[in-house]
C-alpha cells in the first residue's frame, strides 16, 4: 500500500507544473528520477544539472586552500639568502640545511636559501632570464650574500653595492685569507663546502655581502662556512 501511495504521489507530482511544486516535492521528484536511471545515466545527469554547483564548490575549496597556504607561509621568515652564480647542478637545498645547522638555528619557521639557479655566460640573449632574476632579487633586497662571477662582482663593486671586507672579517681572518681578501670581496679559489655539495664555481668567483643586508651575523658566518670548510 505504501509503495502504491508513493508511486501514485510521484505520478501526480509529474503531472503538476514544476513551479507549483514545493521544494520538498521537487527534491523527491528529482530523487525518483535519479533512482530510475542507470549508473552511467546518473553520472551524466548529475554532471549536466549540477555542474554550476560543483564548479562553485570547487572554486570555494581552491580559495580556502590558497588562503590556508598564505596563512601557513606567513609564519616563515627568511633569515639568510645566498646566491651562487654559475654554481652548476649541485645540491643547494642540502647546503642551505647544512648551513642552518652550522649556525645553530633550530627554529622551524626560519628559512635559509642557497640559490644556484642563475647562470651568466656573457651572451645577453642567453643570460636574459638570470639577469632579470638577479636584478629583481637585488632590487627587492632579498639576497644577503653572493658568490659571483668576476664580471658580475666588478659591476656591483662599481655601484658600491657591497660591504667592505674589513667591516666583516676579524684581523685573524684577514691574515688567514691573505691575498684572497679584496676591499669588497673574497676571491674563492676553492671551498670544501662548495665541493661537498657539488657546487662548482671555478677559480673566477668572489664572495661578497650586500650593503642593505640586515643579516650581518649570518653573513659573517657564511663567509667562515665557505672559506673555512664549516669548521667552528
Amino acid at each position: 500500500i505504501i509503495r502504491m501511495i508513493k508511486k501514485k504521489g510521484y505520478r501526480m507530482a509529474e503531472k503538476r507544473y514544476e513551479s507549483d511544486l514545493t521544494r520538498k516535492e521537487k527534491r523527491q521528484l528529482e530523487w525518483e528520477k535519479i533512482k530510475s536511471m542507470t549508473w552511467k545515466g546518473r553520472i551524466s545527469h548529475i554532471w549536466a544539472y549540477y555542474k554550476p554547483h560543483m564548479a562553485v564548490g570547487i572554486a570555494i575549496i581552491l580559495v580556502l586552500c590558497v588562503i590556508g597556504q598564505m596563512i601557513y607561509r606567513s609564519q616563515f621568515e627568511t633569515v639568510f639568502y645566498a646566491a651562487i652564480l654559475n654554481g652548476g647542478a649541485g645540491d643547494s637545498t642540502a647546503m642551505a640545511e647544512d648551513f642552518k645547522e652550522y649556525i645553530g638555528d633550530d627554529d622551524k619557521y626560519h628559512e635559509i636559501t642557497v640559490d644556484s639557479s642563475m647562470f651568466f655566460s656573457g651572451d645577453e640573449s642567453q643570460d636574459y632570464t638570470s639577469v632579470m632574476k638577479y636584478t629583481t632579487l637585488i632590487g627587492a633586497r632579498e639576497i644577503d650574500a653572493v658568490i659571483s662571477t668576476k664580471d658580475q662582482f666588478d659591476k656591483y663593486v662599481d655601484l658600491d653595492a657591497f660591504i667592505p671586507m674589513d667591516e666583516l672579517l676579524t684581523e685573524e681572518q684577514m691574515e688567514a685569507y691573505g691575498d684572497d681578501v679584496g676591499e669588497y670581496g673574497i676571491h674563492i679559489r676553492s671551498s670544501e663546502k662548495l665541493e661537498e655539495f657539488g657546487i662548482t664555481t671555478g677559480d673566477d668567483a668572489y664572495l661578497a655581502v650586500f650593503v642593505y643586508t640586515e643579516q650581518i651575523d649570518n653573513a659573517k658566518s657564511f663567509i667562515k662556512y665557505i672559506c673555512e670548510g664549516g669548521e667552528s
Side-chain angles (χ1 to χ4, degrees):
I1 294 173
I2 295 174
R3 290 181 181 175
M4 290 177 64
I5 293 172
K6 285 185 176 179
K7 190 173 183 182
K8 185 178 179 181
Y10 172 58
R11 287 176 177 173
M12 289 176 64
E14 277 189 311
K15 294 177 181 179
R16 296 165 63 189
Y17 290 107
E18 187 175 348
S19 59
D20 296 332
L21 299 176
T22 65
R23 289 185 180 181
K24 183 177 180 181
E25 288 173 331
K26 288 179 181 178
R27 288 197 298 269
Q28 181 66 22
L29 181 61
E30 183 68 13
W31 176 239
E32 293 294 344
K33 286 181 182 178
I34 292 173
K35 282 201 302 183
S36 66
M37 296 176 181
T38 63
W39 278 107
K40 185 176 180 181
R42 290 175 186 175
I43 294 172
S44 298
H45 178 79
I46 291 170
W47 177 248
Y49 288 93
Y50 294 97
K51 190 163 43 176
H53 303 79
M54 294 170 69
V56 171
I58 292 171
I60 291 172
I61 292 171
L62 289 175
V63 169
L64 291 175
C65 287
V66 171
I67 292 173
Q69 183 69 11
M70 290 174 63
I71 293 172
Y72 176 72
R73 292 302 307 169
S74 68
Q75 301 176 83
F76 290 86
E77 177 189 2
T78 298
V79 296
F80 189 71
Y81 192 126
I84 302 178
L85 310 187
N86 292 18
D91 194 344
S92 57
T93 301
M95 184 175 178
E97 293 173 356
D98 186 66
F99 180 62
K100 191 172 190 291
E101 183 179 347
Y102 171 77
I103 61 176
D105 188 339
D106 57 2
D107 189 326
K108 67 178 182 179
Y109 295 115
H110 283 179
E111 289 189 332
I112 289 175
T113 299
V114 176
D115 185 352
S116 60
S117 66
M118 291 170 280
F119 294 84
F120 294 84
S121 65
D123 185 322
E124 290 186 5
S125 60
Q126 292 183 9
D127 296 346
Y128 179 78
T129 301
S130 291
V131 169
M132 289 298 295
K133 180 177 180 179
Y134 190 44
T135 53
T136 300
L137 287 170
I138 292 172
R141 300 190 170 191
E142 293 287 335
I143 301 176
D144 298 296
V146 62
I147 296 178
S148 171
T149 56
K150 189 176 189 306
D151 58 337
Q152 289 294 324
F153 171 75
D154 289 341
K155 181 186 298 183
Y156 284 92
V157 166
D158 292 340
L159 295 173
D160 297 322
F162 301 128
I163 299 175
M165 282 292 107
D166 59 10
E167 295 182 18
L168 296 169
L169 303 178
T170 64
E171 292 183 8
E172 291 77 8
Q173 287 176 316
M174 295 282 283
E175 289 182 14
Y177 304 155
D179 293 339
D180 288 333
V181 180
E183 186 176 1
Y184 294 102
I186 302 174
H187 189 186
I188 305 297
R189 300 179 189 276
S190 63
S191 167
E192 291 180 9
K193 276 300 173 184
L194 292 175
E195 293 172 3
E196 179 181 339
F197 295 100
I199 296 174
T200 54
T201 57
D203 294 331
D204 188 27
Y206 289 79
L207 192 163
V209 177
F210 285 96
V211 292
Y212 55 71
T213 182
E214 297 179 356
Q215 306 295 337
I216 294 293
D217 290 339
N218 285 340
K220 290 179 179 180
S221 295
F222 187 70
I223 292 171
K224 188 174 182 181
Y225 175 80
I226 293 296
C227 295
E228 299 179 23
E231 296 180 3
S232 301

